[in-house]
Amino acid sequence: MSMKIIDAVIIDDEAPAREMLKTLLSEYFNHIRVIGEADSVQEGVQVLKKCNPAVVFLDINLSDGSGFNLLEKLDNVQFQIIFVTAYNSYAINAFKVNALDYILKPIGLSELERAIERLNETSPTISENDLPEIVANWRQQNNDQSSKLAIREFDGVRFIQIGEIIRCRSHNNYTEFHMMSGEKIMTSKTLKEYAKILESYNFFRIYQSHLVNLLMVKKILSIEGLYVEMNNGDVLELSRDKKKNLFEKMKKLQA
């Protein structure tokens, strides 16, 4: 059975990179149909409004700005995005929280295949409400202000100090942040999504519903079960299969 045709646009200021991507798509993923391409923010906006693609392969650095500048110029984003970037995976943790995908330059077949597989799973497109969070997190990272995290609340985007997060708790499809001040902040993203970005800042998932700041761990208890006591007195269950990794990470912090 043939796969559904997916219309795509490539936006990259390097012509050889565009040609390489088109060649790979043509040879290995013939259900991805390239219907347009652009090499700048200005041209990209025009092409996207004209073509109405299902997916966009978007370079972060363009000749007249960034891929994020392009997104800000769009009234409505109704396509999925696969970022194409020379940045390493650590640098783009800033927008992984929004469940976007990326492939690193030079483009390899295996990474492209992984991204296409996720695309075929019909993951949701980015909503208009997601854009401020994506752009804010990228700017924080790109300006070396990585101690802050942008999270979306019902009335806008809020910036919180990562170092002031004691722990994060899962509430189904929501995440509750527990802060040093005692404040609790609820946001409509899953704990799994936040774990992707916070793992680079010494956070560790000790249980399915708990992500903790390792710098805030006071004790690891083994009385009638396994527990982690945080600096604020919260006591959380520790999964047995996480115990070894937790000890290893705590040792690294002391090295």
Side-chain angles (χ1 to χ4, degrees):
M1 185 175 66
S2 60
M3 300 187 70
K4 178 182 177 181
I5 298 296
I6 299 176
D7 289 335
V9 163
I10 300 173
I11 302 177
D12 194 315
D13 63 350
E14 298 177 0
R18 295 197 305 272
E19 290 302 318
M20 173 61 72
L21 180 54
K22 285 192 294 184
T23 298
L24 289 173
L25 291 173
S26 175
E27 291 184 2
Y28 298 98
F29 310 96
N30 55 19
H31 66 293
I32 307 294
R33 179 174 59 191
V34 178
I35 59 173
E37 58 184 284
D39 63 1
S40 65
V41 171
Q42 183 177 0
E43 186 181 2
V45 170
Q46 296 174 354
V47 169
L48 290 176
K49 289 181 177 180
K50 177 183 178 180
C51 292
N52 191 29
V55 61
V56 174
F57 293 88
L58 179 60
D59 190 7
I60 290 179
N61 283 332
L62 299 171
S63 58
D64 58 346
S66 73
F68 297 96
N69 296 140
L70 183 152
L71 293 175
E72 289 180 297
K73 293 179 181 296
L74 299 175
D75 297 327
N76 196 12
V77 177
Q78 294 295 329
F79 48 79
Q80 297 184 59
I81 298 175
I82 298 176
F83 283 100
V84 181
T85 175
Y87 288 92
N88 62 30
S89 57
Y90 177 83
I92 56 179
N93 273 336
F95 53 81
K96 283 172 67 177
V97 68
N98 294 86
L100 307 179
D101 214 330
Y102 64 92
I103 48 181
L104 297 177
K105 292 182 177 180
I107 298 172
L109 180 58
S110 60
E111 278 209 299
L112 180 59
E113 184 176 19
R114 172 182 60 82
I116 297 299
E117 285 178 355
R118 289 194 62 189
L119 177 63
N120 290 335
E121 292 170 359
T122 62
S123 55
T125 57
I126 299 172
S127 72
E128 184 177 352
N129 291 331
D130 283 327
L131 281 177
E133 186 178 5
I134 296 170
V135 174
N137 270 322
W138 168 254
R139 284 178 173 163
Q140 289 291 335
Q141 188 79 33
N142 204 38
N143 292 332
D144 292 324
Q145 298 176 8
S146 55
S147 62
K148 285 187 177 181
L149 175 70
I151 61 174
R152 194 176 73 241
E153 296 185 303
F154 72 94
D155 58 350
V157 177
R158 177 173 178 175
F159 299 90
I160 62 174
Q161 292 284 345
I162 291 178
E164 295 181 2
I165 302 170
I166 294 177
R167 64 185 178 94
C168 306
R169 181 184 177 190
S170 172
H171 287 275
N172 296 319
N173 290 326
Y174 293 81
T175 297
E176 183 180 66
F177 287 82
H178 291 239
M179 309 300 294
M180 288 177 62
S181 64
E183 184 180 12
K184 298 177 182 178
I185 306 170
M186 188 74 75
T187 183
S188 57
K189 295 287 183 184
T190 66
L191 188 66
K192 180 180 179 180
E193 291 173 302
Y194 280 113
K196 292 178 182 179
I197 182 171
L198 291 175
E199 66 182 2
S200 298
Y201 300 94
N202 295 316
F203 279 73
F204 182 71
R205 198 165 183 175
I206 62 170
Y207 202 76
Q208 185 175 3
S209 57
H210 296 301
L211 179 72
V212 303
N213 184 346
L214 296 178
L215 298 176
M216 296 286 183
V217 172
K218 183 178 181 180
K219 294 180 181 178
I220 300 176
L221 308 171
S222 57
I223 302 175
E224 296 182 356
L226 293 173
Y227 299 91
V228 172
E229 181 179 349
M230 307 302 294
N231 282 347
N232 67 342
D234 288 347
V235 178
L236 313 170
E237 188 171 359
L238 169 63
S239 175
R240 289 191 176 277
D241 61 357
K242 302 285 187 178
K243 180 181 176 181
K244 181 179 179 181
N245 286 342
L246 176 59
F247 273 103
E248 289 176 352
K249 289 183 177 295
M250 294 299 292
K251 287 180 181 178
K252 287 182 180 180
L253 287 179
Q254 297 171 357

